[in-house]
Amino acid sequence: MTEKSWDESLVADNLRRIEEKMEAACVKAGRKREEITLLAVTKTVPPALINAAIRGGVRQIGENRVQELLRKEPELELAGAAVHLIGHLQTNKVRQVAGHVHMVQSVDSLRLARTLNDAYAARGETLAVLVEVNVGREESKSGALEEELPALLEGLQALKHLRVRGLMCIPPISDEETGKRKYFSQIYKLFIDIKAKKLDNISMDVLSMGMSSDFEEAILEGSTMVRIGSALFGKRV
Ligand SMILES: *Cc1c(COP(=O)(O)O)cnc(C)c1O
């Protein structure tokens, strides 16, 4: 067997293991498996392995960088999958990425939102976005702070070529289970509070939280989309 086909069968095995864990977390949480979407995080992963995941049933993939997405895109079997941008997006990259993604999960400023809105207006299209929240208030991370959300959401309501679908977060690294769950439940509460306001143009049906090390906790705390990289493709090189 070549090394390549071994890697590909590993992806299928990992996918099966992740599915089992997701199902178990759903049972524990009293939720239905269909309520949660698995997004495969593909940064640094070669197209052949990404295609193996798509053939294995993954329907959503997430890239962090515009350049890397555009480089790999011609080799991806995207008929079966939607692409999400999950990394920080600079306004000067917006024009390049427009038309290549199904959703941008990292909107954290009105300046970025307006630039995206203009790019999609020019195409006569609408883009689904998530607002990224810096739930741990970390200097090193992007994302809007909780107190910035009202003004940001108000501004987003006026941008008719964006459709706000929910929130995304990357909580601080923490060893204790309770540490992560505290952040997850905090953002779930925000999500529910915003949803209850029934704001125009803001639907709040996607809560993107949970990664390889903590997706089960995230499911227990109300996540509707888990973003999984290393548990699916192996350790990043
Ligand atoms: C890399 C990354 C992930 C996935 O991380 P893993 O720990 O490998 O599952 C999820 N979300 C974002 C925004 C990432 O950059």
Side-chain angles (χ1 to χ4, degrees), residues 39 41 43 64 86-87 132 168-170 210-213 227-231 234 236:
L39 177 131
V41 175
K43 59 179 177 243
N64 287 64
I86 60 172
E132 181 178 352
M168 186 269 259
C169 76
I170 310 170
M211 318 202 297
S212 291
S213 61
R227 307 181 309 267
I228 299 186
S230 47
R236 278 183 290 278

Side-chain angles (χ1 to χ4, degrees), residues 2 43 53 62 75 79 91 108 138 143 150-151 194 200 219:
T2 66
K43 59 179 177 243
E75 293 176 64
T91 50
D108 62 356
E138 294 171 284
I194 297 167
D200 261 3
I219 289 171

Side-chain angles (χ1 to χ4, degrees), residues 45-98:
V45 177
L49 286 194
I50 302 173
N51 290 336
I54 294 171
R55 283 196 292 270
V58 165
R59 290 290 164 262
Q60 317 285 328
I61 68 168
E63 277 284 346
N64 287 64
R65 292 163 182 274
V66 174
Q67 236 58 51
E68 184 177 343
L69 166 62
L70 297 181
R71 179 162 45 76
K72 292 194 291 199
E73 189 182 50
E75 293 176 64
L76 298 178
E77 293 165 11
L78 290 180
V83 179
H84 298 238
L85 190 76
I86 60 172
H88 180 65
L89 177 59
Q90 292 173 307
T91 50
N92 64 6
K93 295 273 166 60
V94 163
R95 282 247 300 269
Q96 294 171 55
V97 82

Side-chain angles (χ1 to χ4, degrees), residues 8 12-13 22 44 56 78 99-100 112 127 133-134 138 156 163 179 186-187 214 219 222-223:
E8 288 179 16
D13 287 348
M22 285 180 72
T44 78
L78 290 180
H100 295 268
L112 172 60
L127 174 70
V133 182
N134 185 349
E138 294 171 284
L156 279 162
R163 179 108 188 93
Q186 195 178 323
I187 195 154
D214 56 23
I219 289 171
S223 170

Side-chain angles (χ1 to χ4, degrees), residues 26-37:
C26 284
V27 168
K28 201 167 160 190
R31 303 181 64 195
K32 294 202 187 78
R33 170 65 186 86
E34 310 88 81
E35 292 172 32
I36 298 130
T37 303

